[in-house]
Amino acid sequence: MSVADEPEGTVVRRTTPEDELLIDRLEKYRIRAVVRCQQLLAESNTETTLLEVDPLFDGKTLIFFFLGPIDDTVQELSDRLTSEYEKKVHSKHFAKLLAEGCGPGCGSKEGSGCSGGCAVCVAATACQS
């Protein structure tokens, strides 16, 4: 393996089950943004083509990559899609649920527990009982 082939960076930690859930959720919404963008581009009769959509891990940012002119129509389209995406993802809320479950101490004797028990908890992996 040459120096150019060696991976760059350092693995800080492995992904947790919560990370994987967040990644899956971001990917689901990325795919929806791609499909919706392609639909809106087709309806707008623009010459611009969508190449890719990348969501950032902040859960609030979408980066659209286009081929062709970025005119006012395409800018309005990407702004509209970003707004739709932000309303659906709510990743800060989702990440908090993953970390805390239904509340601090979710599923523990000390905590308030989950209403309905761990079986109905949004983040059953957070349950400690």
Side-chain angles (χ1 to χ4, degrees):
M1 178 185 281
S2 71
V3 174
D5 294 334
E6 290 181 21
E8 294 184 26
T10 304
V11 175
V12 178
R13 66 173 176 81
R14 294 189 181 274
T15 57
T16 64
E18 292 81 9
D19 294 334
E20 294 296 330
L21 286 171
L22 181 58
I23 291 166
D24 289 347
R25 184 178 178 137
L26 290 172
E27 178 63 10
K28 178 177 82 172
Y29 287 117
R30 184 197 70 80
I31 291 169
R32 288 182 184 176
V34 167
V35 170
R36 182 78 172 120
C37 186
Q38 290 171 335
Q39 176 188 24
L40 292 173
L41 284 170
E43 292 170 3
S44 70
N45 295 319
T46 183
E47 295 178 19
T48 303
T49 302
L50 176 68
L51 294 177
E52 184 62 80
V53 177
D54 286 337
L56 300 186
F57 285 114
D58 67 0
K60 297 184 278 185
T61 307
L62 282 177
I63 300 175
F64 291 90
F65 295 92
F66 294 103
L67 180 62
I70 306 299
D71 56 17
D72 290 341
T73 301
V74 175
Q75 185 61 53
E76 289 172 16
L77 180 145
S78 63
D79 291 344
R80 180 177 166 190
L81 288 170
T82 300
S83 176
E84 288 177 16
Y85 175 83
E86 288 171 352
K87 289 177 186 175
K88 290 181 181 176
V89 173
H90 302 291
S91 71
K92 284 186 181 180
H93 175 68
F94 183 66
K96 183 177 178 182
L97 283 174
L98 288 174
E100 297 181 5
C102 297
C106 175
S108 69
K109 293 178 185 175
E110 299 80 26
S112 58
C114 303
S115 58
C118 290
V120 299
C121 180
V122 173
T125 58
C127 288
Q128 302 162 5
S129 57

